[in-house]
Amino acid sequence: SCIGFNGGALSIGDNAGGTTLHRVVFESGEGALGGAIFVADGESLIADEITVQDIESDMGALFLAPGAQAVLDHATFQDNLATESYGAAIAVVQANLTMSNSLITRNQAAEGAGIFAESSTLDLAGVEISHNEGNPATPQTPRGTGMFIHDSSLDGQHLSFVSNSGSVGSAFLGQGSSVTLLDSVVRG
């Protein structure tokens, strides 16, 4: 269990010079931005075989701040909750996210429960985004509950959007964004 402000368990900042995580579990915590992990401006995170679950945050169990970057492989984000509105599992704001061979499931937020991105670059391959839904405690209409990107760029290959529920663009909603999806599935 981890409780904190930005980065409830782990806050990467102050010229950390890059952080690497291997086989780490973040479970049952809360924080404002990045209920589990906060990556500050200019910092980087490389992570493989991580699990982030049961995290409550204002925005993002993992939050990438402007200028941050993250490379994730074999990551699982599940059962996370955004109490304010955006990005229960992952929130990316003016940052870069590369993600492969991963699962984002059963997260709740009004918008982008799986992934929320604003003015960011996303490169995703082999990622399943499934069973994400709106947070009934927020007044917003659930939209883009699988993934919501705004003014961003998405390059996606072998993505699966499965059984996400929301009112508008339940699987995926892109506004003012450049989107390339190859060999991907949208179902249910």
Side-chain angles (χ1 to χ4, degrees):
S1 180
C2 46
I3 299 174
F5 185 63
N6 290 342
L10 176 62
S11 184
I12 302 168
D14 297 326
N15 299 312
T19 299
T20 300
L21 302 175
H22 178 67
R23 294 186 183 155
V24 178
V25 175
F26 296 89
E27 184 174 23
S28 300
E30 60 185 74
L33 300 177
I37 306 166
F38 176 85
V39 184
D41 179 18
E43 297 298 333
S44 65
L45 168 66
I46 298 172
D48 70 297
E49 297 184 38
I50 66 166
T51 299
V52 181
Q53 63 189 21
D54 298 317
I55 303 295
E56 184 175 309
S57 66
D58 293 344
M59 189 174 186
L62 166 62
F63 185 89
L64 302 179
Q69 60 183 359
V71 177
L72 310 176
D73 185 43
H74 290 92
T76 299
F77 288 81
Q78 65 188 20
D79 301 316
N80 300 297
L81 173 68
T83 56
E84 296 299 316
S85 62
Y86 307 116
I90 301 171
V92 186
V93 179
Q94 299 174 12
N96 298 314
L97 171 65
T98 300
M99 187 174 200
S100 58
N101 309 309
S102 296
L103 173 64
I104 301 171
T105 190
R106 298 186 319 260
N107 300 287
Q108 289 187 344
E111 297 178 334
I115 297 175
F116 172 81
E118 172 77 35
S119 303
S120 297
T121 301
L122 307 175
D123 186 0
L124 309 177
V127 178
E128 178 182 318
I129 301 169
S130 64
H131 305 283
N132 298 289
E133 59 186 20
N135 177 358
T138 60
Q140 295 96 333
T141 300
R143 38 188 218 151
T145 51
M147 181 188 303
F148 183 162
I149 66 172
H150 184 260
D151 292 335
S152 295
S153 171
L154 168 64
D155 182 8
Q157 297 181 33
H158 305 288
L159 304 184
S160 296
F161 295 90
V162 179
S163 299
N164 296 287
S165 61
S167 298
V168 178
S170 60
F172 175 85
L173 180 60
Q175 295 180 333
S177 297
S178 169
V179 176
T180 301
L181 286 178
L182 302 173
D183 301 317
S184 296
V185 174
V186 178
R187 178 175 69 236

